[in-house]
Amino acid sequence: MTAPFERTPGWLDWHPSPSKPDFKLPPGAVDAHCHVFGPGAEFPYAPERKYTPCDASKQQLFALRDHLGFARNVVVQATCHGADNRALIDCLRHSQGRARGVATVRRSIGDAALRDMHQAGVRGVRFNFVKRLVDFTPKDELLEIAGRIAPLGWHVVVYFEAADLSSLWDFFTALPTIVVVDHMGRPDVRKPLDGPEFALFLKLMREHGNVWSKVSCPERLSVSGPPARDGERRPYRDVLPFARRVVETFPDRVLWGTDWPHPNLKDHMPDDGLLVDFVREIATTAELQRKLLVDNPMRLYWPEE
Ligand code: 0GY
């Protein structure tokens, strides 16, 4: 049988056998940024997608969760599924309450559909501004969506390139909800930590107490890359100061996630066990680790517990 979707040429599959992390995660740790892809035969990829991934099912995600030592997942709608959230909702419904979700919706969505999503465990919507991933959505449409989801207690997750922050500033600061920035706003880690680009991102967080950040994706941001030698468990050194600065400056507004199954990586596929060990480097005390991995995601996604 042929697969229903042919993956993008050069697509890298997720790591087949991630190592066990040395870092023992605190009890109740949440992987607050991960995805499911399809499987395409059951949940077709969206016609408007910019890439076709390998499949990455909910069972495979739950197996990784258990292997790494996480208690819960926050599953973020990936752009390859557009605004068709069926794979995400199916994953949430099969998680026994151990997964919550961030969906992608259009302004045409009805109130009943939003309520159903809430019941399944969706707690946010994602607005994506990364041009290689999505076509442009008008800001008035996004503001309308934000106004619709705010009364549900949901938040907005935003994904953008660092160079675009200044032009998106007014939009972000007008949002009426908590705003979670993916991957620290994708800093260019070759630029200085104290340079104007990253300073603007820190200013956004400092001046707007409703802005949170995921300090995830060192493998995506790194130029120095993964460990050079076998057995070296200290990869992605160039990303470390950026992530550490955000964690130490805003300890109560940071989240972390694996980003499994790691869409669109071209050079290497990370060992998810090594990524977990990286957390210990960016959150260097037990208290910072507990806030990053347990307290903050629980407050945002499971506030009732
Ligand atoms: C990420 C990053 C990427 C992709 C997506 O939804 C997506 O397709 O988020 C990326 O290519 O940088 O957060 O998974």
Side-chain angles (χ1 to χ4, degrees):
M1 196 181 96
T2 50
F5 292 94
E6 197 143 319
R7 68 185 65 172
T8 298
W11 184 270
L12 296 182
D13 285 0
W14 36 278
H15 199 293
S17 52
S19 60
K20 269 276 186 219
D22 288 341
F23 174 39
K24 196 171 168 322
L25 289 164
V30 181
D31 175 353
H33 186 94
C34 50
H35 311 284
V36 284
F37 295 153
E42 198 179 351
F43 301 108
Y45 299 113
E48 72 272 25
R49 69 191 180 280
K50 306 285 185 199
Y51 63 84
T52 305
C54 62
D55 289 336
S57 71
K58 58 182 181 288
Q59 292 89 348
Q60 289 158 334
L61 176 64
F62 297 154
L64 181 77
R65 174 197 68 198
D66 296 344
H67 174 77
L68 297 176
F70 285 100
R72 302 170 199 241
N73 296 110
V74 178
V75 186
V76 177
Q77 173 78 350
T79 56
C80 56
H81 281 294
D84 175 352
N85 296 284
R86 281 175 297 169
L88 167 68
I89 300 289
D90 175 72
C91 174
L92 302 184
R93 289 202 195 282
H94 285 86
S95 73
Q96 294 164 323
R98 294 173 68 186
R100 292 253 146 112
V102 175
T104 296
V105 302
R106 308 270 183 250
R107 62 160 31 127
S108 54
I109 192 161
D111 288 335
L114 285 177
R115 277 195 302 275
D116 281 354
M117 282 186 175
H118 187 87
Q119 201 271 335
V122 172
R123 293 293 180 271
V125 292
R126 192 183 199 203
F127 296 164
N128 200 319
F129 301 91
V130 178
K131 295 177 190 78
R132 68 185 160 79
L133 293 173
V134 285
D135 293 327
F136 174 78
T137 306
K139 302 243 173 47
D140 65 321
E141 171 164 357
L142 298 177
L143 278 173
E144 184 182 321
I145 291 168
R148 298 265 311 282
I149 58 101
L152 294 167
W154 293 12
H155 58 274
V156 174
V157 173
V158 293
Y159 192 27
F160 58 92
E161 305 279 1
D164 296 329
L165 176 55
S166 55
S167 63
L168 290 164
W169 181 279
D170 290 347
F171 173 73
F172 290 162
T173 55
L175 289 168
T177 61
I178 286 179
V179 177
V180 180
V181 176
D182 275 341
H183 321 327
M184 302 183 281
R186 293 186 61 95
D188 179 344
V189 299
R190 290 166 304 190
K191 293 186 177 165
L193 177 65
D194 292 310
E197 191 176 271
F198 200 55
L200 188 67
F201 173 68
L202 295 173
K203 178 172 144 90
L204 179 73
M205 289 200 73
R206 192 172 57 248
E207 292 184 356
H208 299 275
N210 63 325
V211 177
W212 295 38
S213 178
K214 290 177 199 160
V215 289
S216 40
C217 278
E219 73 287 3
R220 208 173 270 297
L221 303 174
S222 181
V223 179
S224 66
R229 290 180 284 111
D230 280 355
E232 215 247 270
R233 297 187 72 87
R234 312 189 96 209
Y236 315 123
R237 304 304 300 168
D238 50 353
V239 183
L240 190 54
F242 291 81
R244 203 179 264 177
R245 175 69 61 88
V246 179
V247 167
E248 291 177 357
T249 314
F250 309 103
D252 297 311
R253 290 188 270 141
V254 284
L255 302 169
W256 189 86
T258 56
D259 196 32
W260 187 89
H262 310 288
N264 297 310
L265 291 184
K266 298 282 185 293
D267 302 325
H268 82 286
M269 181 51 57
D271 170 346
D272 299 277
L274 281 181
L275 288 179
V276 170
D277 282 347
F278 187 74
V279 177
R280 205 175 34 180
E281 310 263 342
I282 61 175
T284 52
T285 68
E287 188 190 359
L288 288 173
Q289 292 161 5
R290 200 196 61 243
K291 287 180 178 218
L292 175 66
L293 295 165
V294 186
D295 297 353
N296 299 343
M298 288 304 288
R299 208 161 76 248
L300 196 57
Y301 290 98
W302 284 270
E304 68 282 6
E305 288 190 24

